[in-house]
Amino acid sequence: MSEQEGRAGDELTRHLLELGVLTPEWAKVFRAVPRSLFLPDLFWAYDTSTGRSEPVARDDDPAGWARAAYENIPLITQWDDGQHAGTQPGDKPTSSASMPSVVASMLCDLDVSDGMRVLEVGTGTGWNAGLLAHRLGGADVVSVEIDPAVAARASGALARAGVAPLVVEGDGRDGWAPGAPYDRLIVTAGVRVIPPRWLEQTRPGGLILAPWGTHYTHQDGLVRLTVGEDGRAAGPFLRMVEFMKLRDQRLDWNQFVGHVKEFPGDADVSSTALTAADVGGRYDTADFVAGLCVPDCAHVVNQGDSDEPGDAKAWFLDIRSRSWAAVVFTPGAADATVHQSGTRRLWDEVEHALTWWIDRGRPEYDRFGLTVARDGGTTPWLDDPSNILPFAGA
Ligand SMILES: C[S@@+](CC[C@H](N)C(=O)[O-])C[C@H]1O[C@@H](n2cnc3c(N)ncnc32)[C@H](O)[C@@H]1O
């Protein structure tokens, strides 16, 4: 590691301490297991505000590479499940070194102590597994990665960093039974369906920390579940995050091609007094809550290519049928125009959910939580597991 990387690493650790996302105990581990050791010579720096990714190549710009390695940003390390080559960004990011502040806060949320056994799902670069292995000892940390090339790279980086968790190439949905029971299970990919194996392999009283969400939005609510004696698990959402999803749990947007044949086509037309702001946006609790309440619905907000009135449209798409809804928000108009088509009245469902949430004073996401049954079925609640959200399928 170069001197510049060492200085940049110290600066990042100080920054994370100042942000309050790192404890002094974990700060020591961050200093001992430097992020740059886990990064490939070419990665893409991801700008979370614009969604753009810029290639950073060590050979072309060693100083820029070292700087980016220790910025508090996610770094994409693989596109399109490894099918993409070249320096330009691919279509879909499929592996990364997560944002350091997210890594730090999740490790603190995991609340580990000496002697605990931890399973990580989503090895990626191996940095998080390396941090855990330094803290707990390699013999007590297992990390599962689905992509063989990614798993092999991570194993090499871990060996170079002098830490030795067990890296298993496999589907993390199965956990890793030979190492069970675990005291902690940490998932570093977005989850839409919680696999029952995770509950089976975590000991009663143990914790599962996972970015969980619905297909309504790409964002995830980081949920911390405590596994009970009965094999179920429950716990609160801690904060909003956004992870690339488990391989088989990605939303396939191609399924909606041809979904909306014509606009407005065969749709019924009505109106709504809710505004574009009520529908919410990225990282808004409104988005998250609508997703909890309206099952099997994806949505996308299209701001249009111009500032012309009427251009902002919110689309709602049923992932199991061809039902859809679109709402056109015209600046200055009292009401927005609603188009709905198919057997499900998707906007009616979303409006009902948002109205319920607004009427309760717009409770923030951290007042919500989740109960997970032994078969993986999820029940969201507000404030207390007994206060189940009053929506069919929620
Ligand atoms: C955001 S990255 C993980 C970051 C990583 N923990 C680190 O420290 O660099 C997500 C990883 O999950 C992996 N993944 C996706 N689906 C998976 C699955 N079903 N089982 C195991 N790993 C999976 C991806 O290949 C990717 O490497």
Side-chain angles (χ1 to χ4, degrees), residues 78 81 94-98 103 120-129 144-147 150 170-173 188-189 243-248 250:
Q78 187 200 59
D81 295 328
T94 49
S95 192
S96 68
S98 306
V103 173
E120 180 194 38
V121 174
T123 313
T125 62
W127 186 40
N128 194 53
V144 187
E145 169 60 50
I146 200 163
D147 189 291
V150 172
D171 190 335
R173 287 178 312 161
T188 59
F243 274 83
M244 40 192 71
K245 309 302 173 232
L246 285 179
R247 241 184 215 190
D248 79 321
R250 297 171 185 150

Side-chain angles (χ1 to χ4, degrees), residues 21-344:
V21 294
L22 203 58
T23 57
E25 190 190 19
W26 273 111
K28 279 189 222 143
V29 182
F30 269 56
R31 287 193 191 98
V33 185
R35 191 188 195 206
S36 56
L37 291 187
F38 293 84
L39 298 173
D41 290 343
L42 171 66
F43 56 66
W44 291 263
Y46 181 72
D47 185 331
T48 49
S49 55
T50 63
R52 290 214 188 90
S53 309
E54 288 297 330
V56 185
R58 193 178 208 163
D59 290 347
D60 298 344
D61 180 9
W65 187 95
R67 226 178 11 257
Y70 288 103
E71 268 183 69
N72 187 24
I73 53 171
L75 303 172
I76 295 166
T77 51
Q78 187 200 59
W79 296 93
D80 305 325
D81 295 328
Q83 300 306 305
H84 175 80
T87 52
Q88 286 319 301
D91 192 21
K92 189 171 62 244
T94 49
S95 192
S96 68
S98 306
M99 190 164 168
S101 53
V102 173
V103 173
S105 50
M106 282 178 73
L107 286 171
C108 294
D109 296 332
L110 201 60
D111 192 23
V112 294
S113 51
D114 291 350
M116 282 189 174
R117 290 189 53 71
V118 179
L119 175 67
E120 180 194 38
V121 174
T123 313
T125 62
W127 186 40
N128 194 53
L131 292 163
L132 279 165
H134 185 87
R135 169 69 186 79
L136 295 170
D140 283 325
V141 179
V142 181
S143 182
V144 187
E145 169 60 50
I146 200 163
D147 189 291
V150 172
R153 233 203 125 267
S155 297
L158 286 159
R160 280 193 299 282
V163 275
L166 177 65
V167 176
V168 176
E169 183 196 315
D171 190 335
R173 287 178 312 161
D174 298 332
W176 197 65
Y182 301 100
D183 300 283
R184 301 286 184 262
L185 196 154
I186 179 171
V187 189
T188 59
V191 181
R192 292 294 169 263
V193 180
I194 298 199
R197 296 266 158 76
W198 295 356
L199 304 181
E200 290 162 14
Q201 293 176 21
T202 306
R203 72 161 170 81
L207 299 180
I208 298 175
L209 186 67
W212 178 90
T214 68
H215 286 306
Y216 186 80
T217 156
H218 198 262
Q219 74 196 16
D220 309 294
L222 182 66
V223 71
R224 185 167 58 190
L225 303 165
T226 304
V227 177
E229 291 289 345
D230 60 1
R232 298 189 311 154
F237 291 103
L238 305 180
R239 73 187 79 88
M240 288 294 140
V241 289
E242 194 168 355
F243 274 83
M244 40 192 71
K245 309 302 173 232
L246 285 179
R247 241 184 215 190
D248 79 321
Q249 297 192 6
R250 297 171 185 150
L251 179 62
D252 176 14
W253 283 94
N254 288 324
Q255 70 183 291
F256 302 123
V257 172
H259 200 93
V260 181
K261 285 214 171 73
E262 253 177 76
F263 177 73
D266 62 347
D268 305 335
V269 182
S270 58
S271 65
T272 179
L274 289 188
T275 64
D278 290 327
V279 174
R282 200 160 172 238
Y283 293 125
D284 273 1
T285 303
D287 248 19
F288 187 65
V289 173
L292 290 181
C293 301
V294 184
D296 298 332
C297 176
H299 97 300
V300 62
V301 177
N302 179 355
Q303 297 296 346
D305 300 328
S306 71
D307 295 333
E308 289 301 307
D311 251 355
K313 296 186 188 78
W315 293 90
F316 304 87
L317 306 158
D318 185 0
I319 62 177
R320 306 220 180 271
S321 77
R322 296 180 83 79
S323 300
W324 61 269
V327 184
V328 181
F329 297 99
T330 304
D335 288 339
T337 307
V338 178
H339 307 267
Q340 299 192 84
S341 170
T343 48
R344 265 183 96 180

